[in-house]
Amino acid sequence: MREIDNRRIVVATHNTGKLREMANLMAPFGFETTSAAEHDLPEPEETGTTFEENAYIKAHAAAHATGLPALADDSGLCVDALDGAPGVYTADWATLADGTRDFGIAMEKVEELLRAKGALKPEDRRGRFVAVLCLCFPDGEAEYYRGEAEGTLVWPPRGSLGFGYDPVFVPDGHRITFGEMSAEEKHGWKPGDEKALSHRARAFREFARARLGV
Ligand code: IMP
């Protein structure tokens, strides 16, 4: 496997929450992480049609600009009865004309479409959150780590924890929504743990197994 020189990685995100999660994960392994903001990198347009493509666009832009390997993630919600929508457009469904985001409206849109399909029984309301991490080198060589969390869409929304579509998603094996779970219960994962619940934690676990040897 290709080495990461001097264990230096750019985390290609402008989202401070994602940056903290990734920096915390890698710090114990001697990785020095810097952010896209520290390198003054612009946010590239996410023009891909898959999570892999969008994660690559972000990671490659940062690696190319800095000359360092870069790690980026892309994520979203895929609903089976909606042929995988909103998918890579998960954030867009919440974006209003003035550029602000309202996830209440986005969750209502998913619900309306499910009702229009007559999807009222839990088994007809299956979906998954997906997260893809892309590690890209400055020459464009890339590797991918994918995590998925399967579950059922519920209505009305429940819980005020978490973010995005969390209040309408009950992960398999649980009775409460992501919006009713603590961050620790949803994302908590430590190197060496077998169990990881959220899609992002599962993608991290795959990255850590391959790259950090844990
Ligand atoms: P991106 O990965 O920054 O492109 O954003 C993906 C979108 O998916 C976010 O805006 C969230 O709305 C949604 N999303 C991703 N992961 C989660 C999650 O864990 N809970 C709720 N919503 C999520």
Side-chain angles (χ1 to χ4, degrees):
M1 180 180 286
R2 187 165 170 182
E3 284 298 313
I4 297 173
D5 292 341
N6 301 322
R7 303 203 154 209
R8 291 179 71 205
I9 281 191
V10 182
V11 178
T13 179
H14 286 77
N15 176 322
T16 48
K18 284 186 184 175
L19 175 67
R20 200 175 325 114
E21 266 186 48
M22 295 197 203
N24 287 346
L25 175 80
M26 287 184 285
F29 300 93
F31 278 88
E32 184 198 327
T33 47
T34 49
S35 70
E38 282 169 69
H39 290 279
D40 218 7
L41 303 178
E43 267 188 284
E45 217 184 315
E46 295 178 27
T47 52
T49 56
T50 63
F51 297 112
E52 280 77 4
E53 278 172 18
N54 281 337
Y56 180 83
I57 288 170
K58 292 183 264 192
H60 183 240
H64 183 71
T66 61
L68 294 168
L71 189 65
D73 91 327
D74 197 56
S75 57
L77 174 68
C78 302
V79 181
D80 291 348
L82 307 183
D83 300 322
V88 291
Y89 306 107
T90 299
D92 298 341
W93 280 29
T95 307
L96 307 178
D98 65 2
T100 58
R101 288 193 174 145
D102 184 329
F103 285 97
I105 289 177
M107 289 187 283
E108 268 171 29
K109 185 167 169 180
V110 170
E111 181 60 22
E112 271 167 28
L113 291 171
L114 280 173
R115 278 170 198 249
K117 297 253 179 192
L120 301 175
K121 296 198 287 279
E123 60 268 32
D124 295 332
R125 300 167 62 93
R126 304 282 304 156
R128 68 200 45 76
F129 275 116
V130 177
V132 171
L133 279 171
C134 173
L135 174 68
C136 186
F137 292 87
D139 63 7
E141 188 181 318
E143 51 198 62
Y144 299 91
Y145 303 96
R146 179 180 260 256
E148 299 191 356
E150 301 260 348
T152 303
L153 277 295
V154 295
W155 197 260
R158 296 180 348 221
S160 55
L161 305 172
F163 67 100
Y165 297 69
D166 279 343
V168 290
F169 188 81
V170 174
D172 286 354
H174 294 259
R175 304 174 74 113
I176 60 174
T177 67
F178 269 167
E180 295 171 301
M181 280 183 195
S182 67
E184 178 59 27
E185 196 175 351
K186 180 185 166 196
H187 294 299
W189 176 81
K190 290 188 303 306
D193 276 1
E194 192 49 42
K195 207 176 124 273
L197 180 57
S198 83
H199 45 310
R200 205 162 294 104
R202 288 175 180 178
F204 272 148
R205 183 184 59 191
E206 297 314 302
F207 170 77
R209 278 180 179 161
R211 274 287 168 186
L212 309 175
V214 291

